[in-house]
Amino acid sequence: MPSALILLADGTEEMEFTITYDTLVRAGIACCSAYVQENSGSEKPLYATGSRGIRIVYDTVFDEQTVNTSYDVLVIPGGAKGAETMSTNTAVQALVREFLGKDDKIVGMICAGSLTALSSKLPRQPLTSHPSVKAQLEDDFDYSEEPVVISKNLVTSRGPGTAFPFALTLVELLCSADKRAEVRAPMVFPANTPF
């Protein structure tokens, strides 16, 4: 069974986190959420507070000793404050590089979460993000405004409105196109939804 490590922090965009987590679970992918603290020495709260104030209970605290590349995919959601916390965390940056250094691993970044590609010093490649951080990324990457961009084993997406195609793309890459279709069907998207 494939597995996913989904990061979150205070200020994470709730839809990008929950839609991705839920969609992967529907595909039979084992998911673990890991809380990235803004200040590593501070007391650990019982939950993360998302960008809209919704509280999300996490599975574990992100820690260099407990979080590793045993997962098949690493997901970094957006939300301005949460994305800043994750993208400036050197252990997150190292994990991104480690995942992308393995052919059988995937890293997914959505919205401002794509800033982690910049802070991790990833090589120039196709990428997308939320429009609010485009200016920070377009000089260092081949910037696209497609809803989902796949560059080898890096998958990026734009924002809350693209969370479903982002998550379904991860399902397809981790499982199969058939599994993507199987998960998508009972979600009852309107006719002619393009993903």
Side-chain angles (χ1 to χ4, degrees):
M1 170 191 305
S3 60
L5 178 65
I6 306 174
L7 304 185
L8 79 158
D10 290 322
T12 290
E13 211 296 321
E14 292 92 337
M15 289 175 64
E16 294 162 6
F17 173 82
T18 57
I19 289 171
T20 303
Y21 196 114
D22 179 272
T23 302
L24 296 181
V25 167
R26 288 169 187 254
I29 296 164
C31 292
C32 177
S33 60
Y35 178 72
V36 181
Q37 288 183 271
E38 187 174 0
N39 300 309
S40 59
S42 62
E43 189 175 324
K44 297 169 185 64
L46 298 175
Y47 50 79
T49 302
S51 62
R52 302 300 180 269
I54 298 172
R55 296 173 178 174
I56 302 170
V57 178
Y58 51 82
D59 298 315
T60 190
V61 173
F62 181 85
D63 179 296
E64 293 174 70
Q65 282 72 47
T66 59
V67 175
N68 53 53
T69 58
S70 64
Y71 300 91
D72 298 295
V73 62
L74 171 66
V75 179
I76 302 174
K81 183 176 182 249
E84 180 182 356
T85 297
M86 290 182 237
S87 68
T88 58
N89 184 298
T90 55
V92 171
Q93 295 165 7
L95 191 62
V96 166
R97 289 189 297 268
E98 195 175 343
F99 261 77
L100 292 175
K102 300 175 185 289
D103 291 336
D104 61 341
K105 305 290 181 184
I106 299 168
V107 174
M109 301 175 183
I110 182 169
C111 192
S114 293
L115 288 173
T116 310
L118 182 65
S119 63
S120 300
K121 298 181 173 38
L122 298 186
R124 184 177 197 91
Q125 59 192 295
L127 170 144
T128 193
S129 71
H130 192 271
S132 65
V133 296
K134 175 182 177 180
Q136 296 173 64
L137 296 166
E138 62 185 345
D139 290 342
D140 294 282
F141 296 93
D142 298 325
Y143 196 87
S144 170
E145 295 188 359
E146 290 296 315
V148 179
V149 174
I150 302 172
S151 175
K152 297 180 184 170
N153 51 346
L154 175 65
V155 180
T156 55
S157 190
R158 307 215 68 205
T162 64
F164 278 112
F166 171 70
L168 289 167
T169 298
L170 294 177
V171 167
E172 182 171 348
L173 293 172
L174 288 166
C175 301
S176 67
D178 287 345
K179 179 58 79 173
R180 176 183 180 141
E182 176 188 320
V183 169
R184 183 188 185 282
M187 290 180 171
V188 194
F189 291 104
N192 303 316
T193 299
F195 55 82

